[in-house]
Amino acid sequence: MANTATLEIEGKKYEFPLIEGTEKEVAIDIKTLRGATGGYITLDSGYKNTGSCESAITFLDGEKGILRYRGYSIEELAEKADFLEVAYLLIFGELPTSEQLEKFHSDIKAHSVVDDDVKKILDAFPKAAHPMGVLSSLTSALTAFNPESVNVDSEEDMYNAIVRLLGKLPILVAWAMRKKKGLPLYYGDSSLGYVENILKMMFKQPNEDKYVQNPILVNALDKLLILHADHEQNCSTSTVRITGSSHAGLFASISAGISALWGPLHGGANQAVLEMLEAIKEDGGDTKKYMAKAKDKSDPFRLMGFGHRVYKNFDPRARIIKVAADEVLADLGVTDPILDIAKGLEQEALNDEYFVKRKLYPNVDFYSGIIYRAMGIPVEMFTVMFALGRLPGWIAQWREMRLRKEPIGRPRQLYIGETERSFKSISER
Ligand code: CMC
């Protein structure tokens, strides 16, 4: 492989080093571009061709449909690991031993409390508030109750901040849902596994002595959380890294990530998929009509849950989740007309020239909402569940960014506004 790239501007040549990653991906290192060329920058809206960092956490090959956390394939992790093991792997780089995992879990449990005053903040939100707004606000509010800043040069400090967040966020998630459903808040059960406890915190009814776990649901949620746990430099993760790059705290950085995840082009897609399927059902179930709308460039409608910025092949997470969705629906005996519409749309899109040509396949969010709905999770909570799964990835990326002492994120721009002009007083305008 050549080790430099040459850029020619007005007859003058500039050399830039090529850097190769462990999976043979190659980047042109343009760190010296502005200085060397006297001010030229690159322009890349949406960062479609821009590597923002070097990272050792997640490898993704969108053309081949490969996703690996720390070298382990998503298929193997979804089948053999549990969410907490995956969280440890993502954050610290290696699978935990049983002692490490046990300590990790008990340290998380030790922090599975939220200051009672946080309840007052939750109370102040209207019942109709979107739980993503609630979650992002409460996560940010945690800073007020845990004001000491993390010394990133201390492994112990870093570890404590991480287990604290992993302990507290599920409580906020469960509370956001209980508030929506009008249920009293509940703290959870430290005798349970991480995911089992989340289910109990969300679903335990006030009149219920014993909450009975359904192993199929525990397994499905565990898988869903694993599949969402990291996805390299996506919109919310980049937001977490860029927020943290100003040395804002961990809670503040994660809160920013939750806000970025909220949008329908990113994590909000799972809610948007369900709403779209409902709308198609209400409209008589004519999938062809909606396929035509999705292809019509004068119509803003898009098939939610289809397409991905990096996967130009089947999203490997979608394959796994599709099987899990079938299992959950069979176990719960759910026959959902929404599912038939989903399957119909999927078949049509996979055989449609517009979708095939643009390599638009179903993504992870096309199926996740179907499982969440069958589990009894309200539609507005779907993106919150995504945030819960993505938490270890955000933490891992924040930790990596701080340990590598990355500089503050601060892109350039190409200014296209007015050139200098003189101020006119109001009577002259
Ligand atoms: N329905 C119809 N047409 C689409 C769709 C869609 N869902 N997605 C992309 N296209 C078309 C788009 O109109 C464009 O056509 P043309 O080349 O003729 O102009 C072409 O495909 C390329 O699309 P793009 O918008 O340039 O691609 P992008 O990489 O900027 O956007 C995306 C990726 C995920 C935002 C987009 O595919 C989309 O809006 N999908 C629906 C929302 C969705 O499901 N998002 C969840 C992503 S998975 C969860 C996560 O990881 O965040």
Side-chain angles (χ1 to χ4, degrees), residues 253-299:
S253 305
I254 299 296
S255 165
I258 294 170
S259 297
L261 185 73
W262 192 353
L265 298 190
H266 188 17
N270 52 17
Q271 175 175 343
V273 168
L274 243 285
E275 285 167 354
M276 173 190 78
L277 295 173
E278 286 283 5
I280 299 176
K281 189 181 115 200
E282 290 304 307
D283 196 22
D286 184 356
T287 49
K288 292 206 165 46
K289 174 173 163 190
Y290 284 85
M291 286 291 292
K293 273 165 76 63
K295 294 189 279 182
D296 179 356
K297 294 285 166 203
S298 63
D299 188 327

Short mmCIF file of all heavy atoms in Angstrom, two decimals, residues 253-299:
data_model
loop_
_atom_site.label_atom_id
_atom_site.label_comp_id
_atom_site.label_asym_id
_atom_site.label_seq_id
_atom_site.Cartn_x
_atom_site.Cartn_y
_atom_site.Cartn_z
N SER A 253 -22.80 14.85 29.28
CA SER A 253 -22.49 14.33 27.94
C SER A 253 -23.53 13.29 27.53
O SER A 253 -23.98 13.25 26.38
CB SER A 253 -21.10 13.69 27.91
OG SER A 253 -20.14 14.62 28.36
N ILE A 254 -23.92 12.43 28.48
CA ILE A 254 -24.92 11.39 28.16
C ILE A 254 -26.28 12.04 27.90
O ILE A 254 -27.02 11.64 27.00
CB ILE A 254 -25.00 10.35 29.30
CG1 ILE A 254 -23.66 9.65 29.50
CG2 ILE A 254 -26.13 9.33 29.04
CD1 ILE A 254 -23.15 8.82 28.37
N SER A 255 -26.59 13.07 28.67
CA SER A 255 -27.86 13.76 28.47
C SER A 255 -27.92 14.35 27.06
O SER A 255 -28.96 14.28 26.38
CB SER A 255 -28.00 14.85 29.54
OG SER A 255 -29.01 15.73 29.19
N ALA A 256 -26.80 14.90 26.60
CA ALA A 256 -26.74 15.44 25.23
C ALA A 256 -26.95 14.32 24.22
O ALA A 256 -27.67 14.48 23.22
CB ALA A 256 -25.40 16.13 24.99
N GLY A 257 -26.35 13.16 24.49
CA GLY A 257 -26.51 12.00 23.60
C GLY A 257 -27.97 11.56 23.52
O GLY A 257 -28.48 11.21 22.45
N ILE A 258 -28.66 11.59 24.66
CA ILE A 258 -30.07 11.19 24.68
C ILE A 258 -30.87 12.13 23.79
O ILE A 258 -31.72 11.69 23.00
CB ILE A 258 -30.62 11.18 26.14
CG1 ILE A 258 -29.91 10.09 26.96
CG2 ILE A 258 -32.13 10.97 26.16
CD1 ILE A 258 -30.17 10.14 28.46
N SER A 259 -30.60 13.42 23.87
CA SER A 259 -31.32 14.38 23.02
C SER A 259 -31.05 14.11 21.55
O SER A 259 -31.96 14.17 20.72
CB SER A 259 -30.90 15.82 23.36
OG SER A 259 -31.27 16.11 24.68
N ALA A 260 -29.80 13.82 21.22
CA ALA A 260 -29.46 13.56 19.81
C ALA A 260 -30.13 12.28 19.30
O ALA A 260 -30.51 12.18 18.13
CB ALA A 260 -27.95 13.45 19.64
N LEU A 261 -30.29 11.32 20.21
CA LEU A 261 -30.89 10.04 19.81
C LEU A 261 -32.38 10.18 19.49
O LEU A 261 -32.96 9.38 18.75
CB LEU A 261 -30.71 9.02 20.95
CG LEU A 261 -31.17 7.60 20.67
CD1 LEU A 261 -30.20 6.89 19.72
CD2 LEU A 261 -31.29 6.77 21.95
N TRP A 262 -32.99 11.19 20.07
CA TRP A 262 -34.45 11.35 20.06
C TRP A 262 -35.03 11.46 18.64
O TRP A 262 -36.13 10.98 18.35
CB TRP A 262 -34.78 12.61 20.88
CG TRP A 262 -36.20 12.83 21.24
CD1 TRP A 262 -37.30 12.13 20.83
CD2 TRP A 262 -36.68 13.85 22.13
NE1 TRP A 262 -38.42 12.65 21.40
CE2 TRP A 262 -38.07 13.70 22.20
CE3 TRP A 262 -36.07 14.87 22.86
CZ2 TRP A 262 -38.87 14.55 22.98
CZ3 TRP A 262 -36.86 15.70 23.64
CH2 TRP A 262 -38.24 15.55 23.70
N GLY A 263 -34.30 12.06 17.72
CA GLY A 263 -34.86 12.38 16.40
C GLY A 263 -35.26 11.16 15.59
O GLY A 263 -34.66 10.09 15.72
N PRO A 264 -36.28 11.30 14.72
CA PRO A 264 -36.79 10.16 13.96
C PRO A 264 -35.81 9.60 12.93
O PRO A 264 -35.98 8.47 12.47
CB PRO A 264 -38.04 10.71 13.26
CG PRO A 264 -37.88 12.19 13.25
CD PRO A 264 -37.06 12.53 14.47
N LEU A 265 -34.77 10.36 12.59
CA LEU A 265 -33.79 9.79 11.65
C LEU A 265 -32.78 8.92 12.37
O LEU A 265 -31.96 8.24 11.76
CB LEU A 265 -33.05 10.90 10.88
CG LEU A 265 -33.92 11.80 10.02
CD1 LEU A 265 -33.07 12.69 9.13
CD2 LEU A 265 -34.89 10.99 9.14
N HIS A 266 -32.82 8.95 13.69
CA HIS A 266 -31.85 8.16 14.49
C HIS A 266 -32.67 7.25 15.40
O HIS A 266 -33.48 6.47 14.93
CB HIS A 266 -30.94 9.17 15.22
CG HIS A 266 -29.77 8.58 15.93
ND1 HIS A 266 -29.28 7.32 15.70
CD2 HIS A 266 -28.95 9.11 16.90
CE1 HIS A 266 -28.23 7.10 16.48
NE2 HIS A 266 -28.01 8.17 17.22
N GLY A 267 -32.52 7.37 16.72
CA GLY A 267 -33.20 6.45 17.63
C GLY A 267 -34.71 6.58 17.63
O GLY A 267 -35.44 5.62 17.96
N GLY A 268 -35.19 7.77 17.26
CA GLY A 268 -36.64 7.98 17.23
C GLY A 268 -37.33 7.18 16.13
O GLY A 268 -38.56 7.16 16.05
N ALA A 269 -36.53 6.50 15.31
CA ALA A 269 -37.12 5.75 14.19
C ALA A 269 -38.02 4.61 14.69
O ALA A 269 -39.02 4.29 14.05
CB ALA A 269 -36.03 5.20 13.28
N ASN A 270 -37.68 4.00 15.84
CA ASN A 270 -38.51 2.86 16.28
C ASN A 270 -39.94 3.32 16.60
O ASN A 270 -40.90 2.64 16.28
CB ASN A 270 -37.85 2.06 17.41
CG ASN A 270 -37.41 2.92 18.58
OD1 ASN A 270 -37.84 4.06 18.73
ND2 ASN A 270 -36.56 2.35 19.43
N GLN A 271 -40.05 4.51 17.21
CA GLN A 271 -41.39 5.06 17.45
C GLN A 271 -42.05 5.41 16.11
O GLN A 271 -43.23 5.12 15.88
CB GLN A 271 -41.29 6.32 18.33
CG GLN A 271 -42.63 7.01 18.50
CD GLN A 271 -42.61 8.20 19.45
OE1 GLN A 271 -41.68 8.38 20.25
NE2 GLN A 271 -43.62 9.03 19.39
N ALA A 272 -41.26 6.02 15.23
CA ALA A 272 -41.80 6.44 13.93
C ALA A 272 -42.28 5.24 13.11
O ALA A 272 -43.27 5.32 12.39
CB ALA A 272 -40.75 7.24 13.16
N VAL A 273 -41.58 4.10 13.24
CA VAL A 273 -41.98 2.89 12.49
C VAL A 273 -43.37 2.45 12.94
O VAL A 273 -44.27 2.22 12.11
CB VAL A 273 -40.97 1.73 12.72
CG1 VAL A 273 -41.52 0.42 12.19
CG2 VAL A 273 -39.64 2.03 12.07
N LEU A 274 -43.54 2.37 14.27
CA LEU A 274 -44.84 1.92 14.78
C LEU A 274 -45.96 2.88 14.39
O LEU A 274 -47.05 2.46 13.98
CB LEU A 274 -44.75 1.77 16.30
CG LEU A 274 -44.96 0.37 16.84
CD1 LEU A 274 -46.43 -0.01 16.78
CD2 LEU A 274 -44.15 -0.67 16.06
N GLU A 275 -45.66 4.17 14.47
CA GLU A 275 -46.68 5.16 14.11
C GLU A 275 -47.02 5.04 12.62
O GLU A 275 -48.18 5.16 12.22
CB GLU A 275 -46.20 6.57 14.47
CG GLU A 275 -46.28 6.78 15.98
CD GLU A 275 -45.54 8.02 16.49
OE1 GLU A 275 -44.85 8.68 15.68
OE2 GLU A 275 -45.64 8.30 17.68
N MET A 276 -45.99 4.78 11.81
CA MET A 276 -46.22 4.61 10.37
C MET A 276 -47.09 3.36 10.11
O MET A 276 -48.06 3.42 9.35
CB MET A 276 -44.87 4.47 9.65
CG MET A 276 -44.98 4.12 8.18
SD MET A 276 -43.37 3.70 7.48
CE MET A 276 -43.16 2.01 8.07
N LEU A 277 -46.75 2.26 10.79
CA LEU A 277 -47.51 1.02 10.57
C LEU A 277 -48.97 1.20 11.03
O LEU A 277 -49.90 0.76 10.36
CB LEU A 277 -46.86 -0.16 11.32
CG LEU A 277 -45.46 -0.57 10.84
CD1 LEU A 277 -44.86 -1.62 11.76
CD2 LEU A 277 -45.49 -1.10 9.40
N GLU A 278 -49.15 1.90 12.14
CA GLU A 278 -50.51 2.20 12.64
C GLU A 278 -51.28 3.02 11.60
O GLU A 278 -52.45 2.76 11.31
CB GLU A 278 -50.46 3.01 13.94
CG GLU A 278 -50.05 2.25 15.18
CD GLU A 278 -51.17 1.39 15.74
OE1 GLU A 278 -52.24 1.32 15.11
OE2 GLU A 278 -50.96 0.77 16.79
N ALA A 279 -50.59 4.03 11.05
CA ALA A 279 -51.24 4.92 10.07
C ALA A 279 -51.65 4.11 8.83
O ALA A 279 -52.75 4.32 8.29
CB ALA A 279 -50.32 6.07 9.70
N ILE A 280 -50.78 3.20 8.41
CA ILE A 280 -51.11 2.39 7.22
C ILE A 280 -52.33 1.51 7.53
O ILE A 280 -53.24 1.37 6.72
CB ILE A 280 -49.90 1.53 6.78
CG1 ILE A 280 -48.72 2.44 6.40
CG2 ILE A 280 -50.27 0.60 5.61
CD1 ILE A 280 -47.44 1.71 6.03
N LYS A 281 -52.33 0.95 8.76
CA LYS A 281 -53.48 0.10 9.16
C LYS A 281 -54.77 0.92 9.15
O LYS A 281 -55.78 0.50 8.57
CB LYS A 281 -53.22 -0.47 10.56
CG LYS A 281 -54.22 -1.54 10.96
CD LYS A 281 -53.94 -2.05 12.35
CE LYS A 281 -55.10 -1.67 13.24
NZ LYS A 281 -54.85 -1.67 14.64
N GLU A 282 -54.71 2.09 9.77
CA GLU A 282 -55.90 2.96 9.84
C GLU A 282 -56.41 3.31 8.44
O GLU A 282 -57.60 3.50 8.21
CB GLU A 282 -55.57 4.27 10.57
CG GLU A 282 -55.32 4.12 12.07
CD GLU A 282 -56.48 3.46 12.78
OE1 GLU A 282 -57.61 3.94 12.63
OE2 GLU A 282 -56.26 2.44 13.49
N ASP A 283 -55.46 3.39 7.50
CA ASP A 283 -55.79 3.82 6.15
C ASP A 283 -56.20 2.63 5.27
O ASP A 283 -56.19 2.72 4.04
CB ASP A 283 -54.55 4.54 5.56
CG ASP A 283 -54.90 5.34 4.33
OD1 ASP A 283 -56.08 5.69 4.15
OD2 ASP A 283 -53.99 5.60 3.52
N GLY A 284 -56.47 1.49 5.89
CA GLY A 284 -56.95 0.34 5.12
C GLY A 284 -55.89 -0.70 4.81
O GLY A 284 -56.16 -1.70 4.14
N GLY A 285 -54.65 -0.47 5.26
CA GLY A 285 -53.60 -1.49 5.12
C GLY A 285 -53.00 -1.60 3.72
O GLY A 285 -52.39 -2.63 3.39
N ASP A 286 -53.16 -0.55 2.90
CA ASP A 286 -52.65 -0.63 1.52
C ASP A 286 -51.16 -0.29 1.49
O ASP A 286 -50.75 0.87 1.36
CB ASP A 286 -53.46 0.37 0.66
CG ASP A 286 -53.06 0.29 -0.80
OD1 ASP A 286 -52.12 -0.48 -1.12
OD2 ASP A 286 -53.69 0.99 -1.62
N THR A 287 -50.32 -1.32 1.59
CA THR A 287 -48.86 -1.09 1.64
C THR A 287 -48.34 -0.50 0.32
O THR A 287 -47.40 0.28 0.33
CB THR A 287 -48.10 -2.40 1.96
OG1 THR A 287 -48.59 -3.41 1.09
CG2 THR A 287 -48.29 -2.83 3.39
N LYS A 288 -48.99 -0.88 -0.78
CA LYS A 288 -48.51 -0.39 -2.09
C LYS A 288 -48.61 1.14 -2.17
O LYS A 288 -47.72 1.79 -2.70
CB LYS A 288 -49.34 -1.02 -3.22
CG LYS A 288 -49.08 -2.51 -3.35
CD LYS A 288 -49.33 -3.02 -4.75
CE LYS A 288 -48.73 -4.40 -4.98
NZ LYS A 288 -48.97 -5.37 -3.92
N LYS A 289 -49.70 1.66 -1.59
CA LYS A 289 -49.87 3.12 -1.60
C LYS A 289 -48.70 3.80 -0.88
O LYS A 289 -48.16 4.81 -1.35
CB LYS A 289 -51.20 3.44 -0.89
CG LYS A 289 -51.46 4.91 -0.70
CD LYS A 289 -52.88 5.12 -0.14
CE LYS A 289 -53.02 6.51 0.43
NZ LYS A 289 -54.27 6.66 1.17
N TYR A 290 -48.27 3.20 0.23
CA TYR A 290 -47.20 3.83 1.01
C TYR A 290 -45.83 3.60 0.38
O TYR A 290 -44.92 4.43 0.51
CB TYR A 290 -47.27 3.37 2.47
CG TYR A 290 -48.40 4.09 3.18
CD1 TYR A 290 -49.71 3.62 3.10
CD2 TYR A 290 -48.16 5.29 3.84
CE1 TYR A 290 -50.76 4.32 3.68
CE2 TYR A 290 -49.20 6.00 4.43
CZ TYR A 290 -50.50 5.51 4.34
OH TYR A 290 -51.52 6.22 4.92
N MET A 291 -45.71 2.48 -0.34
CA MET A 291 -44.46 2.26 -1.10
C MET A 291 -44.34 3.36 -2.15
O MET A 291 -43.26 3.93 -2.35
CB MET A 291 -44.51 0.90 -1.81
CG MET A 291 -44.31 -0.27 -0.91
SD MET A 291 -42.64 -0.36 -0.28
CE MET A 291 -41.77 -0.74 -1.78
N ALA A 292 -45.45 3.66 -2.81
CA ALA A 292 -45.43 4.69 -3.86
C ALA A 292 -45.10 6.06 -3.25
O ALA A 292 -44.31 6.82 -3.82
CB ALA A 292 -46.78 4.72 -4.58
N LYS A 293 -45.68 6.34 -2.09
CA LYS A 293 -45.40 7.62 -1.42
C LYS A 293 -43.90 7.73 -1.07
O LYS A 293 -43.28 8.78 -1.24
CB LYS A 293 -46.21 7.73 -0.11
CG LYS A 293 -47.61 8.30 -0.29
CD LYS A 293 -48.46 8.05 0.96
CE LYS A 293 -48.15 8.94 2.14
NZ LYS A 293 -48.39 10.37 1.93
N ALA A 294 -43.34 6.61 -0.59
CA ALA A 294 -41.92 6.62 -0.19
C ALA A 294 -41.01 6.90 -1.39
O ALA A 294 -39.93 7.49 -1.24
CB ALA A 294 -41.55 5.29 0.46
N LYS A 295 -41.46 6.48 -2.57
CA LYS A 295 -40.61 6.65 -3.76
C LYS A 295 -40.83 7.99 -4.46
O LYS A 295 -40.03 8.40 -5.29
CB LYS A 295 -40.90 5.50 -4.76
CG LYS A 295 -40.48 4.15 -4.21
CD LYS A 295 -40.56 3.07 -5.25
CE LYS A 295 -41.95 2.54 -5.44
NZ LYS A 295 -42.04 1.45 -6.42
N ASP A 296 -41.94 8.65 -4.08
CA ASP A 296 -42.30 9.91 -4.74
C ASP A 296 -41.46 11.05 -4.15
O ASP A 296 -41.61 11.40 -2.98
CB ASP A 296 -43.80 10.15 -4.50
CG ASP A 296 -44.28 11.45 -5.12
OD1 ASP A 296 -43.43 12.20 -5.66
OD2 ASP A 296 -45.49 11.70 -5.06
N LYS A 297 -40.60 11.63 -4.97
CA LYS A 297 -39.67 12.65 -4.46
C LYS A 297 -40.38 13.94 -4.04
O LYS A 297 -39.82 14.75 -3.30
CB LYS A 297 -38.59 12.98 -5.49
CG LYS A 297 -37.65 11.84 -5.78
CD LYS A 297 -36.67 11.66 -4.63
CE LYS A 297 -35.93 10.33 -4.73
NZ LYS A 297 -35.39 9.84 -3.48
N SER A 298 -41.63 14.12 -4.52
CA SER A 298 -42.34 15.34 -4.11
C SER A 298 -43.10 15.12 -2.79
O SER A 298 -43.71 16.03 -2.25
CB SER A 298 -43.32 15.77 -5.21
OG SER A 298 -44.30 14.76 -5.37
N ASP A 299 -43.05 13.89 -2.30
CA ASP A 299 -43.73 13.56 -1.04
C ASP A 299 -42.66 13.36 0.04
O ASP A 299 -41.73 12.57 -0.16
CB ASP A 299 -44.53 12.25 -1.27
CG ASP A 299 -45.43 11.91 -0.10
OD1 ASP A 299 -45.05 12.22 1.06
OD2 ASP A 299 -46.51 11.34 -0.32
#
